[in-house]
């Protein structure tokens, strides 16, 4: 079974606003990753946060990790139309396989 | 460095035919992973292979599906006697032996349509 559940499943905001997506997972992890998928395309790695980190920044992205709650959040600040995509969290399970959640479909309205 | 190459990008098969999807990993990567994605859903793990070895096939359907990663050439995901329910996007990813989390690179996928 897949683990990693994102919420909300869909999010629509105005350009310039901040977008926050959440992810929960079930097992212990070494790290958690966030990926973006534009419509009809493959996945692009955005950011990785290790289990001993609580927060990480990359440009307009901010990721938090709470291992006690087994949850992570991805914040995109000052959103742009080009941020419209699906966002997935993923954890590594077993022998190196990435396991993804169902994703959040983000729409940025101009 | 061309990244992970998948072909074909689009594949149409009639019910009962065979589908063969190819994945050439990124240069220097020896590990390949196949995923299936239905519309509006996340990626479901299918199989993880190293050269000439299947490491984890826990996500592969028991029948009609097989995968290989030969010593030479691309990894192949083979679906025999396709049915409408096989219609999906199939993604391949590759990594070095110790990806360290951020070392996975995804291809653009093959969109299989069964008519």
């Amino acid at each position: 079974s897949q683990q990693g559940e994102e919420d909300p499943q869909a999010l629509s905001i105005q350009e310039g606003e901040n977008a926050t997506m959440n992810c929960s997972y079930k097992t212990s992890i070494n790290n958690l990753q966030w990926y973006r998928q534009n419509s009809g395309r493959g996945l692009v790695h955005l950011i990785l946060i290790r289990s001993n980190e609580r927060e990480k920044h990359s440009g307009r992205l901010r990721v938090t990790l709470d291992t006690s709650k087994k949850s992570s959040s991805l914040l995109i600040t000052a959103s742009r139309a080009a941020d419209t995509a699906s966002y997935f969290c993923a954890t590594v399970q077993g022998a190196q396989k990435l396991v993804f959640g169902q994703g959040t479909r983000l729409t940025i309205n101009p | 460095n061309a990244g992970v190459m998948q072909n074909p990008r689009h594949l149409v098969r009639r019910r009962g035919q065979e589908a063969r999807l190819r994945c050439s990993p990124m240069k220097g990567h020896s590990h390949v992973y196949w995923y299936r994605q239905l519309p509006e859903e996340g990626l479901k793990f299918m199989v993880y292979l190293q050269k000439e070895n299947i490491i984890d096939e826990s996500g592969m359907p028991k029948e009609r599906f097989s995968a290989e990663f030969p010593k030479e050439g691309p990894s192949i995901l083979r679906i025999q006697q396709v049915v409408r329910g096989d219609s999906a996007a199939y993604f391949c990813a590759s990594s070095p032996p110790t990806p360290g989390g951020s070392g996975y690179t995804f291809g653009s996928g093959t969109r299989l349509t069964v008519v």
Side-chain angles (χ1 to χ4, degrees), chain A residues 33 37 40 95-98 102, chain B residues 35 37 48 97 101 104 111:
Chain A
Q33 305 166 49
Q37 183 182 36
Q96 292 187 186
K97 72 183 186 191
L98 274 179
Q102 292 291 93
Chain B
Y35 290 82
Q37 185 179 35
Y48 160 33
Y104 301 85
R111 278 144 194 84

Side-chain angles (χ1 to χ4, degrees), chain B residues 9-114:
Chain B
R9 286 295 303 275
H10 300 275
L11 182 61
V12 179
R13 284 287 177 266
R14 296 187 184 279
R15 280 179 295 171
Q17 290 185 320
E18 177 180 289
R20 292 172 70 87
L21 289 62
R22 295 175 186 78
C23 170
S24 295
M26 200 164 167
K27 187 176 180 180
H29 286 188
S30 56
H31 296 212
V32 165
Y33 315 79
W34 284 94
Y35 290 82
R36 177 166 61 180
Q37 185 179 35
L38 296 172
E40 308 298 323
E41 293 191 9
L43 277 72
K44 297 286 196 289
F45 170 79
M46 298 182 75
V47 62
Y48 160 33
L49 309 103
Q50 296 175 17
K51 289 279 188 183
E52 300 183 284
N53 274 313
I54 296 175
I55 305 303
D56 183 341
E57 56 181 348
S58 57
M60 288 281 271
K62 294 291 185 289
E63 298 177 347
R64 302 187 298 107
F65 284 71
S66 63
E68 63 176 5
F69 188 17
K71 187 176 180 181
E72 301 290 338
S75 175
I76 305 287
L77 180 66
R78 182 182 179 205
I79 311 172
Q80 296 178 288
Q81 300 174 335
V82 295
V83 301
R84 289 241 171 93
D86 297 332
S87 294
Y90 292 84
F91 290 93
C92 167
S94 72
S95 78
T98 50
S102 57
Y104 301 85
T105 303
F106 281 81
S108 297
T110 292
R111 278 144 194 84
L112 172 66
T113 302
V114 179

